[in-house]
Amino acid sequence: MDNLPAWLLSEIETVPAYEAFAGVDDLHAGLRRIADRHPGVASLRRCGSSRQGNPLWCLTISAEDPDAPEALAFGLPHPNEPIGGLTALHLAERLCADPALRERLGHTWRIVDCADPDGLRLNEGWLRGPFTRAHYAEHFYRPAGRDQVEWTFPVNHEDAYFDEPIPETQALMRLIDAHRPALIASLHNSELGGAYYWLSRAEPRLHPILQRVPEHLGIPLDRGEPEAPDLVLLDDAIYEATPLATVYERTMARNEPWIFEGGSTTWYAGRWGSFMLVSELPYWLDTRAGDTSPAGLGYAEALAANAVALTDLAELLTRTLASVESHLLAPASPFWRAARFYAAMLESTGPARLARSKEPASDRPATVAEANSLALNVHEYRLRYGGILRRALRGEAAVGNVRGQIRAALAEVEQRYAEWLAEDARVAELEPIEIGRLVAVQYAATIAAAAHLAGRMEM
């Protein structure tokens, strides 16, 4: 009925139930236990250090064939995306325990459990639940652009130049350059909507497998508003991880400034011809994410409403930052860096979407998936980025900053945040997805990609 290979269905069944996501210490301890249990198969070594001196670990699982291609999988390229940490551990455990699976997948594996341990520690307040929107948002952290592992790879193309990769990114660069992986699984996840993927190139025979895996596990494919308007859709819920040169050319053709600083894993690994797989999954189930029926309103209307709300959020963030910037005791904290970054991002996001709403191409009916994703995107950004600002202000209060500007700003942000939480609870209609189902999708997608590249999907 699922049209999935029997071996892949069996592997999906190996994924256990999880009560919580794993923090940094749990991930490292899990990788160490796997290495200790399988000394003839796996070896663990430190592959780098974080900006604050915490270790990064890489587990190597060798193929029987010394000439086998390499595969690299890494969890937590963004530290607010912990599904991949558990996926990395389960992948490592299954590869070590099952020689037949290693033979089928046909790669030597390098597995990094956590690419950003510093950032993950700033999310650990929500990893064990309760898995409510309020608890998640209160402890949420996502780094500023220049603090992100995923987006600080070096870039040198035409007028686009960046050469300040952070230490965590440098560790991944060393692994990529030393081993030239044929497959890279960057274990991301989203927050809302459905499941979708990024691929560095079309692999038509793999696409149906990737699409059926989440549906087999009761998670809809995401057919809502994409992350950017000009993405190439390779297949249903499968996007092209667009090459650097193409992104640059499109940007210049629109006469827009180059907003990227560092580059992505996809761009960097392209030099070795790596096949990049990114599996994106939500935490909360929403069947509307895959509904392509008419929503009863225009796409331009839905886009404009999103733009107005994000512009309002940007105004609050930028005005608050301006009022407190010269009164901070800890201006270099990760929370302030992130608050500044996302305020600037939102300042351009709202006007850009409002301009798109006025384009002729937007004059059409919206689908349920599109209208729903645009509406929930407002909730997501308010709770994420307004929440980071709230954490920054609370941090100032916690270290003794009692200046009037800080107290006034915190009071306003707390009030607005309470209103946003109440609205989210009233209209979002979201239920948390069992963690095991999320890990199973990501794990199955990763091993399916490896089997596909090895030509052993149907064996």
Side-chain angles (χ1 to χ4, degrees):
M1 181 175 66
D2 289 297
N3 294 318
L4 290 172
W7 72 268
L8 189 58
L9 289 170
S10 296
E11 283 302 318
I12 288 173
E13 293 301 316
T14 68
V15 178
Y18 299 94
E19 295 298 321
F21 294 105
V24 176
D25 295 336
D26 291 335
L27 290 173
H28 289 349
L31 212 59
R32 170 63 65 186
R33 282 194 299 270
I34 293 168
D36 290 345
R37 282 199 303 266
H38 303 279
V41 177
S43 60
L44 185 65
R45 71 178 180 89
R46 184 168 177 167
C47 62
S49 301
S50 72
R51 285 151 291 172
Q52 296 192 36
N54 292 302
L56 278 67
W57 297 99
C58 178
L59 187 77
T60 297
I61 304 168
S62 298
E64 297 294 331
D65 179 2
D67 297 322
E70 294 268 351
L72 169 64
F74 56 94
L76 284 301
H78 287 126
N80 57 293
E81 301 174 1
I83 298 171
L86 294 175
T87 302
L89 291 188
H90 187 70
L91 173 66
E93 179 62 48
R94 288 295 300 138
L95 287 168
C96 287
D98 192 337
L101 180 63
R102 293 199 302 274
E103 182 178 359
R104 176 185 294 279
L105 302 188
H107 290 74
T108 286
W109 289 83
R110 317 282 168 175
I111 300 176
V112 177
D113 58 336
C114 179
D116 187 354
D118 298 353
L120 179 56
R121 290 193 187 278
L122 297 180
N123 280 281
E124 287 186 343
W126 68 268
L127 299 185
R128 297 191 175 278
F131 295 109
T132 64
R133 298 277 290 154
H135 186 72
Y136 164 77
E138 181 173 0
H139 300 282
F140 176 91
Y141 166 72
R142 185 177 175 93
R146 282 200 175 224
D147 295 336
Q148 292 183 11
V149 178
E150 180 60 73
W151 286 104
T152 54
F153 284 85
V155 170
N156 189 2
H157 180 79
E158 302 288 346
D159 292 330
Y161 185 80
F162 180 83
D163 64 354
E164 300 178 41
I166 62 177
E168 298 90 332
T169 306
Q170 293 177 39
L172 293 180
M173 289 166 57
R174 289 191 294 269
L175 289 171
I176 291 168
D177 290 339
H179 304 294
R180 304 183 181 186
L183 168 66
I184 298 180
S186 182
L187 302 174
H188 286 259
N189 64 257
S190 56
E191 179 179 325
L192 303 174
Y196 62 102
Y197 303 92
W198 302 87
L199 304 182
S200 55
R201 64 176 183 265
E203 291 285 344
R205 295 182 65 184
L206 177 62
H207 298 178
I209 303 296
L210 296 179
Q211 292 161 336
R212 291 169 191 154
V213 163
E215 292 180 332
H216 169 76
L217 288 154
I219 299 171
L221 294 176
D222 193 291
R223 300 183 175 100
E225 182 72 6
E227 292 186 31
D230 58 356
L231 296 176
V232 173
L233 194 63
L234 299 176
D235 212 324
D236 192 14
I238 300 176
Y239 293 96
E240 178 189 48
T242 314
L244 167 62
T246 303
V247 175
Y248 185 85
E249 289 165 7
R250 290 175 184 168
T251 304
M252 296 303 106
R254 295 192 300 263
N255 294 315
E256 294 179 358
W258 182 252
I259 62 171
F260 299 94
E261 291 182 302
S264 68
T265 315
T266 301
W267 296 351
Y268 188 79
R271 66 189 62 193
W272 307 123
S274 304
F275 176 62
M276 174 67 66
L277 166 69
V278 177
S279 308
E280 300 270 16
L281 293 154
Y283 300 121
W284 283 276
L285 183 63
D286 187 348
T287 57
R288 296 169 295 183
D291 188 346
T292 56
S293 65
L297 78 163
Y299 178 70
E301 179 185 352
L303 198 59
N306 172 279
V308 170
L310 293 189
T311 299
D312 175 70
L313 173 60
E315 189 277 332
L316 173 65
L317 267 61
T318 54
R319 174 169 51 80
T320 303
L321 285 167
S323 72
V324 302
E325 195 70 75
S326 62
H327 305 286
L328 303 178
L329 295 181
S333 84
F335 300 117
W336 284 120
R337 293 200 302 273
R340 296 181 191 106
F341 176 80
Y342 293 111
M345 181 192 81
L346 288 165
E347 273 193 302
S348 60
T349 300
R353 291 184 181 178
L354 188 61
R356 279 181 53 218
S357 74
K358 299 175 182 178
E359 294 175 355
S362 297
D363 186 16
R364 59 174 178 81
T367 67
V368 170
E370 288 172 332
N372 184 60
S373 63
L374 284 166
L376 289 185
N377 173 247
V378 173
H379 297 249
E380 177 184 31
Y381 280 11
R382 283 172 174 171
L383 298 186
R384 279 186 172 205
Y385 307 133
I388 289 174
L389 177 61
R390 185 174 70 155
R391 287 188 78 176
L393 288 165
R394 285 180 167 183
E396 286 293 317
V399 297
N401 193 337
V402 294
R403 292 178 172 91
Q405 294 87 346
I406 301 298
R407 290 184 286 109
L410 180 55
E412 181 184 10
V413 170
E414 292 280 15
Q415 179 184 342
R416 293 292 300 277
Y417 205 80
E419 294 169 357
W420 296 335
L421 281 173
E423 184 180 346
D424 184 74
R426 187 171 62 251
V427 305
E429 302 176 22
L430 301 170
E431 292 293 331
I433 303 171
E434 294 91 340
I435 296 172
R437 289 161 62 195
L438 301 173
V439 173
V441 172
Q442 205 167 60
Y443 170 63
T446 302
I447 61 175
H452 167 73
L453 293 180
R456 297 171 185 154
M457 182 73 80
E458 303 298 337
M459 285 176 58

